[in-house]
Amino acid sequence: MHQEKFLACAMEQERTLYRVAKTLLRSDADCADAVQEALLKGLRGAPLLRSEQYAKTWLTRILINTCKDMLRRSARTGTVELSEFYPAPDRPEQRELYDALHALPEELRLPLVLHYLEGFPLREISRMLRVPEGTLKRRMWQGRKELREMLSEEAI
């Protein structure tokens, strides 16, 4: 893939990449750093990408790996920032869903965000996360189940 085409694809994906980073990282600065680093890695590897069809999936996978690398580094150095949380929506009904979604473990939260909020098909998410499609479906089912339980407890 030519760098010009890659840059055009990357510009289209910038908001999606940031939201995916926000699913994994807490700090806005860390999210911006992760997106920037992923775009740089993608730009370097763009000539190796054979098909434009998978550019979006490929770039998202690079971002996920970059975020996980950052989390590992921060855990080793003890600089995990727990006090800075995601900006929450203003509407109370969205706030409950938002809080419940972010209370889920990463392995359940990430597939739900990628599918329902970012619109990725299951097959692509399976490739991105490097898990079988059946495992992905089970994680999504478990995530939806836990969300229902959390939200029904709040309603009581």
Side-chain angles (χ1 to χ4, degrees), residues 53-54 57-58 61 111 114-115 119-134 136-137 140:
Q53 177 184 1
Y54 297 111
T57 303
W58 179 70
R61 180 69 233 173
L114 288 170
H115 183 67
F120 283 99
L122 295 180
R123 182 169 286 154
E124 284 187 42
I125 297 170
S126 175
R127 281 191 213 126
M128 274 184 238
L129 301 180
R130 296 184 180 134
V131 296
E133 221 171 305
L136 178 67
K137 288 177 183 179
M140 291 180 68

Side-chain angles (χ1 to χ4, degrees), residues 104 108 112 138-147:
L104 290 174
L108 302 179
L112 292 174
R138 184 196 51 78
R139 287 179 183 177
M140 291 180 68
W141 175 84
Q142 183 68 33
R144 288 190 303 267
K145 178 183 169 202
E146 288 188 26
L147 281 175

Side-chain angles (χ1 to χ4, degrees), residues 38-150:
L39 289 173
L40 185 58
K41 288 177 183 177
L43 187 61
R44 288 181 189 144
L48 302 174
L49 188 61
R50 293 184 194 140
S51 172
E52 292 177 37
Q53 177 184 1
Y54 297 111
K56 182 178 173 182
T57 303
W58 179 70
L59 191 52
T60 304
R61 180 69 233 173
I62 291 171
L63 176 68
I64 291 168
N65 288 339
T66 302
C67 290
K68 289 184 177 188
D69 288 345
M70 290 176 73
L71 288 170
R72 278 190 290 272
R73 274 183 266 150
S74 66
R76 270 187 264 140
T77 60
T79 59
V80 177
E81 235 180 272
L82 297 176
S83 61
E84 191 173 336
F85 292 97
Y86 304 84
D90 295 330
R91 296 181 13 213
E93 64 276 5
Q94 288 181 340
R95 173 70 184 206
E96 292 172 11
L97 176 60
Y98 179 87
D99 290 341
L101 182 64
H102 288 93
L104 290 174
E106 176 189 319
E107 74 173 15
L108 302 179
R109 180 179 64 241
L110 188 56
L112 292 174
V113 168
L114 288 170
H115 183 67
Y116 292 111
L117 299 179
E118 300 305 330
F120 283 99
L122 295 180
R123 182 169 286 154
E124 284 187 42
I125 297 170
S126 175
R127 281 191 213 126
M128 274 184 238
L129 301 180
R130 296 184 180 134
V131 296
E133 221 171 305
T135 301
L136 178 67
K137 288 177 183 179
R138 184 196 51 78
R139 287 179 183 177
M140 291 180 68
W141 175 84
Q142 183 68 33
R144 288 190 303 267
K145 178 183 169 202
E146 288 188 26
L147 281 175
R148 272 192 301 274
E149 290 171 1
M150 284 188 253

